[in-house]
Amino acid sequence: MTAFKDHFSSRAADYAAYRPTYPPELVDYLASVCPTSNLALDCGCGTGQLAVLLADRFKCVIATDASAQQIENAEPRERVTYRVAPAERSGLPDASADLVVAAQAAHWFDRPAFYAEARRVGRPGAVLALVTYGVMRGTPWSTP
C-alpha cells in the first residue's frame, strides 16, 4: 500500500468553500440501484460535498478521508459520521455497506487495496460507484 500523500490539508477551508457539489439526481440514482438504503460509505469524502447529499437518501452515511483537516472542515449533517481513515481501510464491519462511493477521489487511492476493501465492506448486491465531474468539451478556436 502506498503512503497517503496529503495534497489538500493546507487548503481544506478553500476546498470546502469552492469545491463543486453534485446533482441530487446522482444521489437518487445511486440509492435506486442499491439493495437497501441503510448505509453508504463515502471514501475520500474531502469536506463532505457528496456525503451530505447521501444523507437525504440513506439512513446512515460514513464519510472517510485520510486528511484530518478535510474532516475538520466537513459540513455537519444529521446521519453523517465523519472519520479520518484512508479509503483502503474504512474500519467498517464486513458486509455492512449498501453503497461504497468515491466522488472525484479514486485516482488518489491504492485502487487494488480500495477494491478489496469495497468487496469486504459491501453487503450482497452492494454498489461500488466511482463518481467524477462531467468532461468538458469545447470547440477549438483560432485567432484571425
Side-chain angles (χ1 to χ4, degrees), residues 15-52:
Y15 186 96
Y18 300 111
R19 183 81 171 197
T21 189
Y22 301 93
E25 295 85 1
L26 169 65
V27 175
D28 291 343
Y29 175 75
L30 291 173
S32 78
V33 296
C34 289
T36 65
S37 56
N38 291 320
L39 176 65
L41 171 61
D42 182 3
C43 299
C45 70
T47 55
Q49 286 82 359
L50 183 60
V52 297

Side-chain angles (χ1 to χ4, degrees), residues 114-132:
F114 169 66
Y115 294 146
E117 179 70 351
R119 281 190 297 276
R120 184 187 71 76
V121 303
R123 67 180 66 224
V127 171
L128 170 61
L130 304 180
V131 176
T132 187

